[in-house]
Every structure is written in structure tokens, then in C-alpha cells.
Amino acid sequence: MSFAPLRIGVLSAANIARAFTAACKTSTIVDVAAVASRGLDKAEAFARETGIARALGSYEALLADAEIEAVYIPLPNSMHAEWAIKAVQAGKHVLCEKPLAMDAAQARAMFAAAEAHGVYLREGYPWMSQWHAQETRRWIAEGQIGKLALIRSTFGVYFADPANIRLKSDMGGGALYDAGSYATSLLRLAAGRCPTRVQASWQVDANGVDLTTLANIEFDDGLMAQIACSFATAFHRNAQIVGDKGCIETNYLNHPPMGAPPVLSIRRSAVQTDPVENVPVPSGNGFLLEAESFARLVREGEAAWNGASPQESIDIAMTLDAIRASAPTGQWVNVGS
Ligand SMILES: NC(=O)c1ccc[n+]([C@@H]2O[C@H](COP(=O)([O-])OP(=O)(O)OC[C@H]3O[C@@H](n4cnc5c(N)ncnc54)[C@H](OP(=O)(O)O)[C@@H]3O)[C@@H](O)[C@H]2O)c1
């Protein structure tokens, strides 16, 4: 089915919005039509650099703009809930950067506001719109690795510049909100449900921002998991999803092959000497796939969206809440308590 391109406005001249806008340039169903910044000069410079047609000097002006149908939010984490709610109240569909919110209560309020105003809100995890994520979902659902027993996912990158929003506690900084939301999204996709309890530990910097966080995670039926995330390591990203009849390994890349050679393998057997199938992963830009899936969601409805569902986003937020509650003491914390 063909339809008019979804006219998206970008809320802030964020660094990541450059990559998002560049990726959408090749799309025939997504039109990044405007950018808003806190200052008009900055918005105009960003628009010139990225080829966006219109620049606006405030976020409010973008939300009031009748031409804009949907908003992409790449603001600091602490601002996602406020601006997503303002956007849906203005009748805009919202594609919000991860982590969707600072906690599950905010996430629920955001989805409730979207529903009340008859628009879509989704959290963007580019890797989830990739073919490799769809294959991973399918293999698990078809029982190709049997009953899940153990999931381990990690993501680490190195950030040390104190000016970076990721290292500012009042902006929702920290490895857990950032890389940890990715590791938790892998866990949620693989498990297909929310965990029941977590036990975590972390290393926190002088400003109260976690630099490395580890969590043991349990589910109600015996499935066990671990996530690790860090801002103090070299880039690494991988996951093992292990059942009683097989194992999947993936580095769940956002934009294969960017950052690392893509890894996707499956052994459909519990036996060490049975073959592992290394599956070729098509290269593709995750922002393009995510934005096009979002455009189809708006034009064609729920079934067209291939990223995180609202329930998955709420479960990810609840899991992160429990990890944050556990890490200072290392005590087990029930998810949702
Ligand atoms: N999915 C991914 O692969 C991916 C990758 C990177 C980042 N992200 C997410 O995208 C978001 C933005 O990350 P980023 O690295 O692009 O951030 P960034 O470059 O620091 O941009 C954040 C923007 O927020 C606006 N802003 C409004 N109030 C601000 C304040 N008080 N302090 C700082 N900035 C403020 C600024 O835009 P104006 O000055 O134009 O108003 C700024 O350019 C985060 O939620 C992050 O988790 C996702």
C-alpha cells in the first residue's frame, strides 16, 4: 500500500538527530520536515547541515505547527516524559528515544496520554526493527531452542566527557538508563515477559551517575538472566539466549555492520558437537527501519510496528526501576514493587 510520507518534526538539534535525519533521507514514506531547537540560530544551522526544510526557534512552535504529524524526541532522558506528553496533547504521534522515561510510572502516564489523545507513542530501539531481531523472536516463539533457561546480555561503551548528558545525573544520565536499557530490551524481547525479581550492584561516580551496573534477574518459571552495562569499557555488545534444546548468540546491532561485524548464530541442539549455524545478517540502518515502521504504524495501524510494544516498554522501565532500587544495597527487589 502506498501513502503520503509521514511528516516528522525533530524536537531538538541533538547529536543523534543528525544520524536519524540522514537515515530518513532515503525514505519515500518518512519526511523529516522540520527541526526545533531552544534557539532559532541553532535550529537553522542544523536544518542547513541536515537538509531539513524548516527550522523553528522553540519546541512549543514545533508542537503548534499544523504541518507536522509526528515528533521524534531525542532530548535528554529526563525530558522525554514532559515533551512526549506535551506532544501527544498537541495531537502529534511520538517516536521517543530510549529510555522512554525515568521510571515505569512516567512511562504509563505517557502511554495513557497518547491513548487519551488518539495518537501513537513508541520507544525507539533501532535494533528491534532489524531483520535479526525478527528472526530471534521467531526462533524463540517456534521453540527452536526449546524452553528458555538462561539469558545474558551486555552493552558497554566509553564516555568520560563531563559535558555529555549521559554523565549528568539531573539529565537522567548513567550507564543503566542508556546502555542498560538496550541490554534490558534484549532480555525483554527474548523472554517475552517481565521478570519477577532482580538483584544488582553498580559503581557510581562522584556525581551519582552509575558507570557500570550488573544485575541478576529471575522469572517466575525458573528462567534466569543477567544484564551488564557500562560507560567505563570499550564498546562491546552481545547476548546469549539459551534454552534446553539450543542456543542463540547475537550482538543485536542497531545498524549492522556499524560498530562491529554482525553476529547471529543458532545451534538447534543441546549437544556441544552439533553444528552452529552462523546466519548472515543483512546490513541496514536501524533508524531508517524504525522510522519507516513508525510511519506504517501511523498510516496502517498496530500490526505494522515491529519495534518495542507499549507493554515491552513498560516492562523494560519496571525492570530498570527494580535494578536501580536493588543496586545501592544488593538486596533482591521484586519487579513492580
Ligand atoms: N537509539 C540510539 O542509538 C541513540 C543514540 C544516541 C542517543 N540516543 C538517545 O537520544 C537522546 C539524545 O542523545 P544525544 O547524545 O543526541 O544528546 P545531545 O546531543 O546532548 O542532544 C540533546 C539535545 O537536547 C536539547 N536540550 C534541551 N534541554 C537541554 C539541556 N538542559 N541540556 C542539554 N541539552 C538539552 C538540546 O537541543 P537544542 O539546544 O537544540 O534545544 C540538545 O542538543 C538520549 O535520550 C539518548 O539516550 C539514542
PDB file of all heavy atoms in Angstrom, residues 12-17 36-39 42 59 74-77 79-80 97-99 124 126 165-166 171 178 182 254-255 287, ligand 1:
ATOM      1  N   SER A  12      14.617  19.104  18.981  1.00  0.00           N
ATOM      2  CA  SER A  12      15.976  19.463  19.399  1.00  0.00           C
ATOM      3  C   SER A  12      17.015  19.052  18.363  1.00  0.00           C
ATOM      4  O   SER A  12      16.861  18.049  17.667  1.00  0.00           O
ATOM      5  CB  SER A  12      16.385  18.890  20.765  1.00  0.00           C
ATOM      6  OG  SER A  12      16.928  17.589  20.635  1.00  0.00           O
ATOM      7  N   ALA A  13      18.067  19.883  18.319  1.00  0.00           N
ATOM      8  CA  ALA A  13      19.180  19.640  17.394  1.00  0.00           C
ATOM      9  C   ALA A  13      20.183  18.708  18.068  1.00  0.00           C
ATOM     10  O   ALA A  13      21.366  19.019  18.193  1.00  0.00           O
ATOM     11  CB  ALA A  13      19.824  20.967  17.012  1.00  0.00           C
ATOM     12  N   ALA A  14      19.697  17.572  18.515  1.00  0.00           N
ATOM     13  CA  ALA A  14      20.554  16.614  19.227  1.00  0.00           C
ATOM     14  C   ALA A  14      21.522  15.952  18.264  1.00  0.00           C
ATOM     15  O   ALA A  14      21.255  15.841  17.066  1.00  0.00           O
ATOM     16  CB  ALA A  14      19.690  15.550  19.897  1.00  0.00           C
ATOM     17  N   ASN A  15      22.603  15.502  18.829  1.00  0.00           N
ATOM     18  CA  ASN A  15      23.601  14.801  18.034  1.00  0.00           C
ATOM     19  C   ASN A  15      22.992  13.616  17.292  1.00  0.00           C
ATOM     20  O   ASN A  15      23.217  13.438  16.092  1.00  0.00           O
ATOM     21  CB  ASN A  15      24.692  14.312  18.991  1.00  0.00           C
ATOM     22  CG  ASN A  15      26.028  14.371  18.325  1.00  0.00           C
ATOM     23  OD1 ASN A  15      26.220  15.085  17.343  1.00  0.00           O
ATOM     24  ND2 ASN A  15      26.949  13.595  18.832  1.00  0.00           N
ATOM     25  N   ILE A  16      22.205  12.821  17.998  1.00  0.00           N
ATOM     26  CA  ILE A  16      21.683  11.597  17.384  1.00  0.00           C
ATOM     27  C   ILE A  16      20.645  11.916  16.314  1.00  0.00           C
ATOM     28  O   ILE A  16      20.409  11.105  15.410  1.00  0.00           O
ATOM     29  CB  ILE A  16      21.103  10.643  18.459  1.00  0.00           C
ATOM     30  CG1 ILE A  16      21.063   9.208  17.909  1.00  0.00           C
ATOM     31  CG2 ILE A  16      19.759  11.108  18.974  1.00  0.00           C
ATOM     32  CD1 ILE A  16      22.410   8.645  17.528  1.00  0.00           C
ATOM     33  N   ALA A  17      20.067  13.127  16.395  1.00  0.00           N
ATOM     34  CA  ALA A  17      19.090  13.515  15.369  1.00  0.00           C
ATOM     35  C   ALA A  17      19.753  13.672  14.000  1.00  0.00           C
ATOM     36  O   ALA A  17      19.077  13.551  12.967  1.00  0.00           O
ATOM     37  CB  ALA A  17      18.387  14.804  15.780  1.00  0.00           C
ATOM     38  N   ALA A  36      13.197  21.738  15.577  1.00  0.00           N
ATOM     39  CA  ALA A  36      13.074  22.829  16.542  1.00  0.00           C
ATOM     40  C   ALA A  36      14.210  22.752  17.538  1.00  0.00           C
ATOM     41  O   ALA A  36      14.628  21.660  17.932  1.00  0.00           O
ATOM     42  CB  ALA A  36      11.743  22.724  17.283  1.00  0.00           C
ATOM     43  N   SER A  37      14.708  23.916  17.919  1.00  0.00           N
ATOM     44  CA  SER A  37      15.757  23.989  18.923  1.00  0.00           C
ATOM     45  C   SER A  37      15.375  25.096  19.907  1.00  0.00           C
ATOM     46  O   SER A  37      14.489  25.919  19.608  1.00  0.00           O
ATOM     47  CB  SER A  37      17.093  24.315  18.240  1.00  0.00           C
ATOM     48  OG  SER A  37      18.102  24.514  19.193  1.00  0.00           O
ATOM     49  N   ARG A  38      16.062  25.119  21.046  1.00  0.00           N
ATOM     50  CA  ARG A  38      15.780  26.195  22.003  1.00  0.00           C
ATOM     51  C   ARG A  38      16.186  27.544  21.438  1.00  0.00           C
ATOM     52  O   ARG A  38      15.755  28.576  21.927  1.00  0.00           O
ATOM     53  CB  ARG A  38      16.484  25.923  23.332  1.00  0.00           C
ATOM     54  CG  ARG A  38      15.909  24.762  24.105  1.00  0.00           C
ATOM     55  CD  ARG A  38      16.823  24.343  25.216  1.00  0.00           C
ATOM     56  NE  ARG A  38      18.111  23.880  24.719  1.00  0.00           N
ATOM     57  CZ  ARG A  38      19.171  23.598  25.470  1.00  0.00           C
ATOM     58  NH1 ARG A  38      19.090  23.749  26.772  1.00  0.00           N
ATOM     59  NH2 ARG A  38      20.284  23.173  24.922  1.00  0.00           N
ATOM     60  N   GLY A  39      17.036  27.549  20.429  1.00  0.00           N
ATOM     61  CA  GLY A  39      17.433  28.803  19.785  1.00  0.00           C
ATOM     62  C   GLY A  39      17.260  28.680  18.279  1.00  0.00           C
ATOM     63  O   GLY A  39      17.594  27.640  17.691  1.00  0.00           O
ATOM     64  N   LYS A  42      20.449  27.978  16.170  1.00  0.00           N
ATOM     65  CA  LYS A  42      20.906  26.583  16.222  1.00  0.00           C
ATOM     66  C   LYS A  42      20.030  25.700  15.339  1.00  0.00           C
ATOM     67  O   LYS A  42      20.523  24.830  14.603  1.00  0.00           O
ATOM     68  CB  LYS A  42      20.888  26.081  17.679  1.00  0.00           C
ATOM     69  CG  LYS A  42      21.534  24.725  17.873  1.00  0.00           C
ATOM     70  CD  LYS A  42      21.599  24.362  19.357  1.00  0.00           C
ATOM     71  CE  LYS A  42      22.099  22.933  19.560  1.00  0.00           C
ATOM     72  NZ  LYS A  42      22.024  22.521  20.966  1.00  0.00           N
ATOM     73  N   TYR A  59      10.549  24.529  21.017  1.00  0.00           N
ATOM     74  CA  TYR A  59       9.851  23.235  20.949  1.00  0.00           C
ATOM     75  C   TYR A  59       8.342  23.467  20.837  1.00  0.00           C
ATOM     76  O   TYR A  59       7.641  22.739  20.135  1.00  0.00           O
ATOM     77  CB  TYR A  59      10.158  22.380  22.186  1.00  0.00           C
ATOM     78  CG  TYR A  59      11.621  22.095  22.441  1.00  0.00           C
ATOM     79  CD1 TYR A  59      12.061  21.723  23.704  1.00  0.00           C
ATOM     80  CD2 TYR A  59      12.568  22.183  21.425  1.00  0.00           C
ATOM     81  CE1 TYR A  59      13.393  21.440  23.957  1.00  0.00           C
ATOM     82  CE2 TYR A  59      13.907  21.909  21.660  1.00  0.00           C
ATOM     83  CZ  TYR A  59      14.319  21.542  22.941  1.00  0.00           C
ATOM     84  OH  TYR A  59      15.638  21.270  23.185  1.00  0.00           O
ATOM     85  N   PRO A  74      14.607  13.288  20.688  1.00  0.00           N
ATOM     86  CA  PRO A  74      15.942  12.874  21.122  1.00  0.00           C
ATOM     87  C   PRO A  74      16.487  13.817  22.201  1.00  0.00           C
ATOM     88  O   PRO A  74      17.662  14.176  22.179  1.00  0.00           O
ATOM     89  CB  PRO A  74      16.756  12.993  19.826  1.00  0.00           C
ATOM     90  CG  PRO A  74      16.138  14.181  19.134  1.00  0.00           C
ATOM     91  CD  PRO A  74      14.719  14.332  19.627  1.00  0.00           C
ATOM     92  N   LEU A  75      15.616  14.209  23.130  1.00  0.00           N
ATOM     93  CA  LEU A  75      16.012  15.103  24.234  1.00  0.00           C
ATOM     94  C   LEU A  75      16.759  14.304  25.303  1.00  0.00           C
ATOM     95  O   LEU A  75      16.718  13.069  25.308  1.00  0.00           O
ATOM     96  CB  LEU A  75      14.761  15.732  24.848  1.00  0.00           C
ATOM     97  CG  LEU A  75      14.041  16.772  23.985  1.00  0.00           C
ATOM     98  CD1 LEU A  75      12.656  17.072  24.557  1.00  0.00           C
ATOM     99  CD2 LEU A  75      14.871  18.046  23.861  1.00  0.00           C
ATOM    100  N   PRO A  76      17.412  14.991  26.263  1.00  0.00           N
ATOM    101  CA  PRO A  76      17.974  14.272  27.413  1.00  0.00           C
ATOM    102  C   PRO A  76      16.886  13.420  28.075  1.00  0.00           C
ATOM    103  O   PRO A  76      15.708  13.800  28.092  1.00  0.00           O
ATOM    104  CB  PRO A  76      18.436  15.409  28.339  1.00  0.00           C
ATOM    105  CG  PRO A  76      18.700  16.570  27.415  1.00  0.00           C
ATOM    106  CD  PRO A  76      17.674  16.440  26.326  1.00  0.00           C
ATOM    107  N   ASN A  77      17.298  12.275  28.646  1.00  0.00           N
ATOM    108  CA  ASN A  77      16.338  11.302  29.176  1.00  0.00           C
ATOM    109  C   ASN A  77      15.320  11.924  30.138  1.00  0.00           C
ATOM    110  O   ASN A  77      14.146  11.568  30.139  1.00  0.00           O
ATOM    111  CB  ASN A  77      17.085  10.174  29.889  1.00  0.00           C
ATOM    112  CG  ASN A  77      18.048   9.458  28.959  1.00  0.00           C
ATOM    113  OD1 ASN A  77      17.876   9.515  27.741  1.00  0.00           O
ATOM    114  ND2 ASN A  77      19.043   8.793  29.524  1.00  0.00           N
ATOM    115  N   MET A  79      13.899  14.610  30.071  1.00  0.00           N
ATOM    116  CA  MET A  79      12.891  15.467  29.434  1.00  0.00           C
ATOM    117  C   MET A  79      11.916  14.687  28.555  1.00  0.00           C
ATOM    118  O   MET A  79      10.984  15.274  27.991  1.00  0.00           O
ATOM    119  CB  MET A  79      13.597  16.553  28.598  1.00  0.00           C
ATOM    120  CG  MET A  79      14.490  17.469  29.426  1.00  0.00           C
ATOM    121  SD  MET A  79      15.453  18.615  28.413  1.00  0.00           S
ATOM    122  CE  MET A  79      14.160  19.684  27.769  1.00  0.00           C
ATOM    123  N   HIS A  80      12.143  13.376  28.406  1.00  0.00           N
ATOM    124  CA  HIS A  80      11.296  12.593  27.489  1.00  0.00           C
ATOM    125  C   HIS A  80       9.823  12.654  27.884  1.00  0.00           C
ATOM    126  O   HIS A  80       8.952  12.886  27.038  1.00  0.00           O
ATOM    127  CB  HIS A  80      11.766  11.136  27.447  1.00  0.00           C
ATOM    128  CG  HIS A  80      13.083  10.944  26.757  1.00  0.00           C
ATOM    129  ND1 HIS A  80      13.688   9.705  26.632  1.00  0.00           N
ATOM    130  CD2 HIS A  80      13.937  11.815  26.163  1.00  0.00           C
ATOM    131  CE1 HIS A  80      14.834   9.836  25.988  1.00  0.00           C
ATOM    132  NE2 HIS A  80      15.009  11.114  25.712  1.00  0.00           N
ATOM    133  N   GLU A  97      13.097   8.598  21.862  1.00  0.00           N
ATOM    134  CA  GLU A  97      14.344   7.861  22.082  1.00  0.00           C
ATOM    135  C   GLU A  97      14.284   7.056  23.383  1.00  0.00           C
ATOM    136  O   GLU A  97      13.550   7.380  24.305  1.00  0.00           O
ATOM    137  CB  GLU A  97      15.530   8.835  22.126  1.00  0.00           C
ATOM    138  CG  GLU A  97      16.182   9.048  20.789  1.00  0.00           C
ATOM    139  CD  GLU A  97      16.724   7.757  20.165  1.00  0.00           C
ATOM    140  OE1 GLU A  97      16.913   6.767  20.890  1.00  0.00           O
ATOM    141  OE2 GLU A  97      16.907   7.733  18.942  1.00  0.00           O
ATOM    142  N   LYS A  98      15.108   6.021  23.424  1.00  0.00           N
ATOM    143  CA  LYS A  98      15.263   5.240  24.643  1.00  0.00           C
ATOM    144  C   LYS A  98      16.156   5.984  25.607  1.00  0.00           C
ATOM    145  O   LYS A  98      16.980   6.778  25.139  1.00  0.00           O
ATOM    146  CB  LYS A  98      15.842   3.858  24.374  1.00  0.00           C
ATOM    147  CG  LYS A  98      16.993   3.751  23.369  1.00  0.00           C
ATOM    148  CD  LYS A  98      18.225   4.591  23.489  1.00  0.00           C
ATOM    149  CE  LYS A  98      19.078   4.392  24.719  1.00  0.00           C
ATOM    150  NZ  LYS A  98      20.309   5.247  24.687  1.00  0.00           N
ATOM    151  N   PRO A  99      16.053   5.795  26.901  1.00  0.00           N
ATOM    152  CA  PRO A  99      14.976   5.101  27.571  1.00  0.00           C
ATOM    153  C   PRO A  99      13.720   5.973  27.522  1.00  0.00           C
ATOM    154  O   PRO A  99      13.814   7.193  27.654  1.00  0.00           O
ATOM    155  CB  PRO A  99      15.495   4.947  29.005  1.00  0.00           C
ATOM    156  CG  PRO A  99      16.348   6.168  29.201  1.00  0.00           C
ATOM    157  CD  PRO A  99      16.995   6.420  27.869  1.00  0.00           C
ATOM    158  N   GLY A 124      11.921   4.095  20.699  1.00  0.00           N
ATOM    159  CA  GLY A 124      12.766   3.646  19.598  1.00  0.00           C
ATOM    160  C   GLY A 124      13.983   2.848  20.063  1.00  0.00           C
ATOM    161  O   GLY A 124      14.824   3.375  20.790  1.00  0.00           O
ATOM    162  N   PRO A 126      16.495   0.966  17.659  1.00  0.00           N
ATOM    163  CA  PRO A 126      16.681   0.627  16.242  1.00  0.00           C
ATOM    164  C   PRO A 126      16.934  -0.863  15.993  1.00  0.00           C
ATOM    165  O   PRO A 126      16.479  -1.411  14.989  1.00  0.00           O
ATOM    166  CB  PRO A 126      17.902   1.473  15.843  1.00  0.00           C
ATOM    167  CG  PRO A 126      17.890   2.616  16.801  1.00  0.00           C
ATOM    168  CD  PRO A 126      17.339   2.075  18.090  1.00  0.00           C
ATOM    169  N   ILE A 165      25.549  14.653  28.272  1.00  0.00           N
ATOM    170  CA  ILE A 165      24.322  14.485  29.075  1.00  0.00           C
ATOM    171  C   ILE A 165      24.280  13.127  29.768  1.00  0.00           C
ATOM    172  O   ILE A 165      23.633  12.973  30.797  1.00  0.00           O
ATOM    173  CB  ILE A 165      23.031  14.677  28.231  1.00  0.00           C
ATOM    174  CG1 ILE A 165      23.016  13.730  27.020  1.00  0.00           C
ATOM    175  CG2 ILE A 165      22.869  16.125  27.808  1.00  0.00           C
ATOM    176  CD1 ILE A 165      21.659  13.650  26.310  1.00  0.00           C
ATOM    177  N   ARG A 166      24.990  12.133  29.210  1.00  0.00           N
ATOM    178  CA  ARG A 166      24.976  10.776  29.782  1.00  0.00           C
ATOM    179  C   ARG A 166      25.657  10.706  31.148  1.00  0.00           C
ATOM    180  O   ARG A 166      25.486   9.737  31.885  1.00  0.00           O
ATOM    181  CB  ARG A 166      25.664   9.793  28.833  1.00  0.00           C
ATOM    182  CG  ARG A 166      24.885   9.504  27.592  1.00  0.00           C
ATOM    183  CD  ARG A 166      25.723   8.827  26.538  1.00  0.00           C
ATOM    184  NE  ARG A 166      24.970   8.689  25.303  1.00  0.00           N
ATOM    185  CZ  ARG A 166      24.727   9.689  24.463  1.00  0.00           C
ATOM    186  NH1 ARG A 166      25.184  10.902  24.723  1.00  0.00           N
ATOM    187  NH2 ARG A 166      24.029   9.480  23.373  1.00  0.00           N
ATOM    188  N   MET A 171      20.070  14.985  34.201  1.00  0.00           N
ATOM    189  CA  MET A 171      19.566  14.778  32.836  1.00  0.00           C
ATOM    190  C   MET A 171      19.150  13.319  32.617  1.00  0.00           C
ATOM    191  O   MET A 171      18.859  12.909  31.496  1.00  0.00           O
ATOM    192  CB  MET A 171      20.669  15.114  31.812  1.00  0.00           C
ATOM    193  CG  MET A 171      21.213  16.519  31.873  1.00  0.00           C
ATOM    194  SD  MET A 171      20.374  17.626  30.728  1.00  0.00           S
ATOM    195  CE  MET A 171      19.241  18.418  31.835  1.00  0.00           C
ATOM    196  N   ASP A 178      21.049   4.271  29.842  1.00  0.00           N
ATOM    197  CA  ASP A 178      21.490   4.335  28.449  1.00  0.00           C
ATOM    198  C   ASP A 178      21.743   2.928  27.899  1.00  0.00           C
ATOM    199  O   ASP A 178      20.858   2.290  27.332  1.00  0.00           O
ATOM    200  CB  ASP A 178      22.735   5.231  28.377  1.00  0.00           C
ATOM    201  CG  ASP A 178      23.129   5.556  26.958  1.00  0.00           C
ATOM    202  OD1 ASP A 178      23.725   4.672  26.307  1.00  0.00           O
ATOM    203  OD2 ASP A 178      22.853   6.667  26.471  1.00  0.00           O
ATOM    204  N   TYR A 182      19.215  -0.843  26.633  1.00  0.00           N
ATOM    205  CA  TYR A 182      19.403  -1.740  25.483  1.00  0.00           C
ATOM    206  C   TYR A 182      19.512  -3.200  25.923  1.00  0.00           C
ATOM    207  O   TYR A 182      18.859  -4.095  25.366  1.00  0.00           O
ATOM    208  CB  TYR A 182      20.659  -1.354  24.695  1.00  0.00           C
ATOM    209  CG  TYR A 182      20.364  -0.403  23.576  1.00  0.00           C
ATOM    210  CD1 TYR A 182      20.783   0.914  23.621  1.00  0.00           C
ATOM    211  CD2 TYR A 182      19.645  -0.824  22.472  1.00  0.00           C
ATOM    212  CE1 TYR A 182      20.494   1.790  22.606  1.00  0.00           C
ATOM    213  CE2 TYR A 182      19.352   0.042  21.442  1.00  0.00           C
ATOM    214  CZ  TYR A 182      19.781   1.346  21.506  1.00  0.00           C
ATOM    215  OH  TYR A 182      19.474   2.207  20.494  1.00  0.00           O
ATOM    216  N   ASN A 254      22.367  -2.134  16.254  1.00  0.00           N
ATOM    217  CA  ASN A 254      21.393  -1.164  15.739  1.00  0.00           C
ATOM    218  C   ASN A 254      21.480  -1.030  14.226  1.00  0.00           C
ATOM    219  O   ASN A 254      20.473  -0.900  13.545  1.00  0.00           O
ATOM    220  CB  ASN A 254      21.662   0.226  16.340  1.00  0.00           C
ATOM    221  CG  ASN A 254      21.143   0.360  17.747  1.00  0.00           C
ATOM    222  OD1 ASN A 254      20.349  -0.439  18.201  1.00  0.00           O
ATOM    223  ND2 ASN A 254      21.603   1.392  18.448  1.00  0.00           N
ATOM    224  N   HIS A 255      22.719  -0.983  13.739  1.00  0.00           N
ATOM    225  CA  HIS A 255      22.939  -0.664  12.326  1.00  0.00           C
ATOM    226  C   HIS A 255      24.007  -1.587  11.758  1.00  0.00           C
ATOM    227  O   HIS A 255      25.119  -1.131  11.447  1.00  0.00           O
ATOM    228  CB  HIS A 255      23.398   0.796  12.160  1.00  0.00           C
ATOM    229  CG  HIS A 255      22.647   1.787  12.982  1.00  0.00           C
ATOM    230  ND1 HIS A 255      21.340   2.123  12.723  1.00  0.00           N
ATOM    231  CD2 HIS A 255      22.999   2.489  14.091  1.00  0.00           C
ATOM    232  CE1 HIS A 255      20.926   3.009  13.616  1.00  0.00           C
ATOM    233  NE2 HIS A 255      21.914   3.245  14.463  1.00  0.00           N
ATOM    234  N   PHE A 287      17.768   3.253  12.158  1.00  0.00           N
ATOM    235  CA  PHE A 287      16.902   4.437  12.258  1.00  0.00           C
ATOM    236  C   PHE A 287      15.911   4.483  11.089  1.00  0.00           C
ATOM    237  O   PHE A 287      14.743   4.841  11.263  1.00  0.00           O
ATOM    238  CB  PHE A 287      17.720   5.729  12.282  1.00  0.00           C
ATOM    239  CG  PHE A 287      18.443   5.960  13.579  1.00  0.00           C
ATOM    240  CD1 PHE A 287      19.798   6.237  13.590  1.00  0.00           C
ATOM    241  CD2 PHE A 287      17.773   5.906  14.787  1.00  0.00           C
ATOM    242  CE1 PHE A 287      20.471   6.449  14.787  1.00  0.00           C
ATOM    243  CE2 PHE A 287      18.435   6.115  15.987  1.00  0.00           C
ATOM    244  CZ  PHE A 287      19.785   6.383  15.986  1.00  0.00           C
TER     245      PHE A 287
HETATM  246  N1  LIG B   1      18.969   4.993  19.717  1.00  0.00           N
HETATM  247  C1  LIG B   1      20.236   5.332  19.685  1.00  0.00           C
HETATM  248  O1  LIG B   1      21.057   4.693  19.035  1.00  0.00           O
HETATM  249  C2  LIG B   1      20.677   6.534  20.451  1.00  0.00           C
HETATM  250  C3  LIG B   1      21.965   7.001  20.283  1.00  0.00           C
HETATM  251  C4  LIG B   1      22.346   8.149  20.956  1.00  0.00           C
HETATM  252  C5  LIG B   1      21.443   8.774  21.792  1.00  0.00           C
HETATM  253  N2  LIG B   1      20.199   8.279  21.966  1.00  0.00           N
HETATM  254  C6  LIG B   1      19.243   8.949  22.861  1.00  0.00           C
HETATM  255  O2  LIG B   1      18.932  10.207  22.284  1.00  0.00           O
HETATM  256  C7  LIG B   1      18.806  11.201  23.298  1.00  0.00           C
HETATM  257  C8  LIG B   1      19.759  12.338  22.997  1.00  0.00           C
HETATM  258  O3  LIG B   1      21.091  11.905  22.969  1.00  0.00           O
HETATM  259  P1  LIG B   1      22.246  12.771  22.248  1.00  0.00           P
HETATM  260  O4  LIG B   1      23.546  12.170  22.507  1.00  0.00           O
HETATM  261  O5  LIG B   1      21.854  13.002  20.832  1.00  0.00           O
HETATM  262  O6  LIG B   1      22.115  14.142  23.079  1.00  0.00           O
HETATM  263  P2  LIG B   1      22.668  15.598  22.802  1.00  0.00           P
HETATM  264  O7  LIG B   1      23.490  15.627  21.549  1.00  0.00           O
HETATM  265  O8  LIG B   1      23.258  16.102  24.049  1.00  0.00           O
HETATM  266  O9  LIG B   1      21.333  16.397  22.453  1.00  0.00           O
HETATM  267  C9  LIG B   1      20.314  16.623  23.383  1.00  0.00           C
HETATM  268  C10 LIG B   1      19.573  17.871  22.926  1.00  0.00           C
HETATM  269  O10 LIG B   1      18.601  18.164  23.898  1.00  0.00           O
HETATM  270  C11 LIG B   1      18.352  19.553  23.883  1.00  0.00           C
HETATM  271  N3  LIG B   1      18.292  20.056  25.267  1.00  0.00           N
HETATM  272  C12 LIG B   1      17.219  20.645  25.839  1.00  0.00           C
HETATM  273  N4  LIG B   1      17.474  20.989  27.105  1.00  0.00           N
HETATM  274  C13 LIG B   1      18.740  20.603  27.359  1.00  0.00           C
HETATM  275  C14 LIG B   1      19.578  20.710  28.498  1.00  0.00           C
HETATM  276  N5  LIG B   1      19.144  21.275  29.648  1.00  0.00           N
HETATM  277  N6  LIG B   1      20.825  20.240  28.412  1.00  0.00           N
HETATM  278  C15 LIG B   1      21.267  19.647  27.296  1.00  0.00           C
HETATM  279  N7  LIG B   1      20.526  19.512  26.147  1.00  0.00           N
HETATM  280  C16 LIG B   1      19.268  19.996  26.204  1.00  0.00           C
HETATM  281  C17 LIG B   1      19.478  20.221  23.101  1.00  0.00           C
HETATM  282  O11 LIG B   1      18.935  20.644  21.864  1.00  0.00           O
HETATM  283  P3  LIG B   1      18.631  22.182  21.469  1.00  0.00           P
HETATM  284  O12 LIG B   1      19.746  23.001  22.059  1.00  0.00           O
HETATM  285  O13 LIG B   1      18.613  22.130  20.014  1.00  0.00           O
HETATM  286  O14 LIG B   1      17.304  22.551  22.047  1.00  0.00           O
HETATM  287  C18 LIG B   1      20.458  19.120  22.841  1.00  0.00           C
HETATM  288  O15 LIG B   1      21.065  19.239  21.583  1.00  0.00           O
HETATM  289  C19 LIG B   1      19.029  10.484  24.627  1.00  0.00           C
HETATM  290  O16 LIG B   1      17.785  10.091  25.156  1.00  0.00           O
HETATM  291  C20 LIG B   1      19.807   9.228  24.236  1.00  0.00           C
HETATM  292  O17 LIG B   1      19.570   8.136  25.104  1.00  0.00           O
HETATM  293  C21 LIG B   1      19.803   7.166  21.288  1.00  0.00           C
END
